[in-house]
Amino acid sequence: MKIALGSDHGGFKLKEEIKKYLEERGIPYQDFGTNSSESVDYPAFGMKVAEAVVAGECERGILCCGTGIGISISANKVPGIRCAVVTDTFSAQMSREHNNANILALGERVVGVGLALKIVEVWLETEFAGGRHEKRVNQIGDIEAKYRG
């Protein structure tokens, strides 16, 4: 599984810790930036990661900003993306099992590195449960299609 990574300046340090985590476990990734803690605009990085996931260049994505909120909103504007802002391991598990989230968003100013890495671990290891949840995820796709134009 290849992971698309992205962050703004507010999530840069956390993204770098996640890169180390992935490297230690031999999980391939592509870093879409940013490459420093210099101020940048998060929508561009949310879009880059989302487009890589939708295009199939990467199976899933992980985004970081100060709260995880802004960058997740940006990613969720790309049809086919289900990006979940997560602050605990149970939500990480449920975002995969029930919602088939294909991007995880984390807030560097909200969760510490230790918890963030545990969230990443749970999120990467959890598979979509399918079944009754498949119907609901498909309904999300129907909403996207309705407003796509």
Side-chain angles (χ1 to χ4, degrees):
M1 163 180 6
K2 186 174 180 182
I3 305 298
L5 293 176
S7 73
D8 70 355
H9 57 283
F12 173 71
K13 290 178 185 173
L14 181 56
K15 179 181 63 114
E16 294 301 301
E17 292 295 327
I18 293 168
K19 283 169 57 173
K20 290 178 198 172
Y21 174 90
L22 296 174
E23 288 168 3
E24 289 169 2
R25 284 150 186 81
I27 300 170
Y29 66 86
Q30 183 171 350
D31 186 349
F32 289 88
T34 192
N35 299 312
S36 75
S37 55
E38 184 176 325
S39 183
V40 294
D41 298 325
Y42 59 79
F45 301 98
M47 182 181 69
K48 287 178 186 181
V49 166
E51 288 177 342
V53 171
V54 167
E57 295 170 28
C58 298
E59 187 176 332
R60 296 190 208 163
I62 300 174
L63 291 167
C64 303
C65 70
T67 63
I69 298 168
I71 206 161
S72 71
I73 292 170
S74 301
N76 277 319
K77 296 297 179 186
V78 176
I81 293 302
R82 292 173 306 281
C83 180
V85 181
V86 174
T87 58
D88 62 88
T89 57
F90 180 74
S91 296
Q93 179 184 347
M94 292 299 103
S95 76
R96 289 288 308 135
E97 277 186 14
H98 291 195
N99 310 117
N100 200 14
N102 48 15
I103 299 181
L104 169 67
L106 297 165
E108 181 177 311
R109 298 175 188 144
V110 178
V111 295
V113 172
L115 177 56
L117 296 180
K118 186 64 178 171
I119 288 168
V120 168
E121 177 184 358
V122 169
W123 191 79
L124 290 175
E125 291 178 354
T126 303
E127 294 300 323
F128 179 48
R132 64 189 167 100
H133 306 292
E134 183 90 34
K135 178 178 96 174
R136 296 168 185 153
V137 170
N138 289 339
Q139 289 172 356
I140 294 169
D142 293 344
I143 293 169
E144 284 179 342
K146 178 180 177 181
Y147 291 97
R148 210 174 283 150

